[in-house]
Amino acid sequence: MKCPPVIIVGMHRSGTSLLSRVLQKCGIFMGASRDPNNEPFFFLELNDWLLAQANATWDNPYNFRFIDDTFKEILVKAIKVNISSFKILKFLGVRRFLKYRKLDNLPFLWGWKDPRNSITLNVWSEIFPQAKIIHIYRNPVDVAESLRRRVLKNKNNFRWNYKQTIKAIFAIGKLNFVDSVRLQFLEEGVKLWEEYLKSIYDFEKRSGKGILHLKYEEFLENPIPTIESVLNWLNVSIDGDRIKKATSLVNASRSYAFLSNERLVEFYRNLKGKPLVRKLGYHNLC
């Protein structure tokens, strides 16, 4: 490839959206059509499809760990067929598709963000062996609480309408009352955080590929030097004014938000001895 992709991984609600938006403003193409979380629909849908092949989902990814080399080979073949087809138009947009036709032909730095990449990395690394992988991680309490709040928001905003009636009559589709029944509970949010991060670190150990690890809280507190280090790692020339403008998106007040909530602080005290919490330096916050 002329320019291998930048693949952003990390647990949901850990800063993957913020990081991708900042890098996008620094000139890295992150897809023509994206959802509100800055995930390009093209790769998001492919990741959901990959997970479904193992009867896994983004919030219950456990089964995906059991795919063997033969299964992976079939998945890789299927994805290669897909990304070599006209469907790549969805990611590139009409103008870029007509000009370049394939991802292999892109002469500029590009990539995509999707937390699901954390689980499906073993497939994507076969397709893009020279990909640059960036992992951003956040303390598990703020992650679990953010996920819980999102589930509650969806429940509170749910309204029965004709679409739900049709789905009920034919028993098809999802009513979308909640996006995850599991993540209504803080404990399950932390377990999922562990699953995602374990998948990333296990992949790094098995593959020997270098992954750039970023701490979300340090990114919030020192956005400019953090992005400078990322761009240096990507061998991208740095425009100081552009970086300053891009990092204006960063809101430092989101760092360790749980510390202002005694209920969450008590929850944190019960899990700060976990090995992964200690490994990432989150064991002595209070």
Side-chain angles (χ1 to χ4, degrees), residues 74-85 126-128:
I74 292 171
L75 294 178
V76 168
K77 180 178 180 179
I79 294 296
K80 284 183 176 179
V81 169
N82 186 284
I83 66 175
S84 298
S85 73
E126 293 288 332
I127 297 167
F128 303 116

Side-chain angles (χ1 to χ4, degrees), residues 143-172:
V143 167
E145 175 65 1
S146 181
L147 288 166
R148 189 187 71 86
R149 286 178 176 271
R150 188 173 71 180
V151 172
L152 293 179
K153 181 179 179 181
N154 287 344
K155 289 176 69 173
N156 291 334
N157 290 338
F158 178 80
R159 297 292 182 273
W160 188 283
N161 58 34
Y162 74 93
K163 293 181 181 179
Q164 278 73 34
T165 301
I166 293 172
K167 290 176 181 179
I169 291 172
F170 294 100
I172 57 172

Side-chain angles (χ1 to χ4, degrees), residues 13 138-139 142 146 216-217 220 251-257:
R13 317 306 290 177
R138 184 184 189 187
N139 78 83
D142 279 332
S146 181
Y216 174 75
E217 291 82 8
L220 296 190
N251 178 5
S253 67
R254 293 176 63 83
S255 181
Y256 299 116

